[in-house]
Amino acid sequence: MENKKSKGRQKIPIKKIEKQDNLYASFSKRRMNLYKKASDLVFECDVDIGMIFFSPIGNPFSFFHPNVDVVVSLAAHNREKVNELKSRLEELDTIEDIEIAKKQSYDGVIEARQKGWWESIEQLNADKVSTFEAWLETFVFNMQNRLNQLEIGASSSVLGFNV
């Protein structure tokens, strides 16, 4: 076999076609290839497809399978479904934020319980300690009174008196 004189089929770099006649010819060839590829996609993958494109002089071309109404209504339905899912996601994000705040609050309560009340007493200043002592004295006084009432009530009911 002899050496080839040409380089064979070469890949043409993609760039904007400047010459109008070449532009129209290239568009026509590529448009037909788009139709063929879309038709193959429909046949091989059983999909619904829609394409609209315009020629260099502004003429519209389209390809829809099975038809325009089906493709447009499916797109509208899918857009509506996406919007519903977005709003549900926003609701769930809000609920998640609320639950995170609750957990942090509960964690704070648990941490305070684990510290114990005596640790918080150690942090009181002199005025607060005086107030706390007064509250404890009042509490003890009230508890002693209540205990006395219960004892009197118990002893009088044993004797048959109503107090």
Side-chain angles (χ1 to χ4, degrees), residues 95-113:
I95 290 170
E96 180 186 29
D97 292 343
I98 291 169
E99 293 302 320
I100 288 172
K102 281 183 184 178
K103 183 186 180 307
Q104 290 173 344
S105 174
Y106 293 147
D107 289 347
V109 169
I110 290 171
E111 184 179 324
R113 283 184 180 169

Side-chain angles (χ1 to χ4, degrees), residues 102-157:
K102 281 183 184 178
K103 183 186 180 307
Q104 290 173 344
S105 174
Y106 293 147
D107 289 347
V109 169
I110 290 171
E111 184 179 324
R113 283 184 180 169
Q114 288 173 346
K115 275 186 176 179
W117 60 271
W118 53 88
E119 291 180 17
S120 60
I121 290 175
E122 291 174 354
Q123 297 172 359
L124 296 178
N125 61 26
D127 292 336
K128 289 185 179 182
V129 168
S130 302
T131 305
F132 185 65
E133 284 176 339
W135 178 83
L136 280 176
E137 289 173 2
T138 305
F139 178 76
V140 168
F141 178 77
N142 289 339
M143 293 306 293
Q144 286 175 342
N145 283 343
R146 180 67 180 142
L147 183 62
N148 289 339
Q149 289 174 354
L150 291 173
E151 287 176 348
I152 291 172
S155 64
S156 60
S157 65

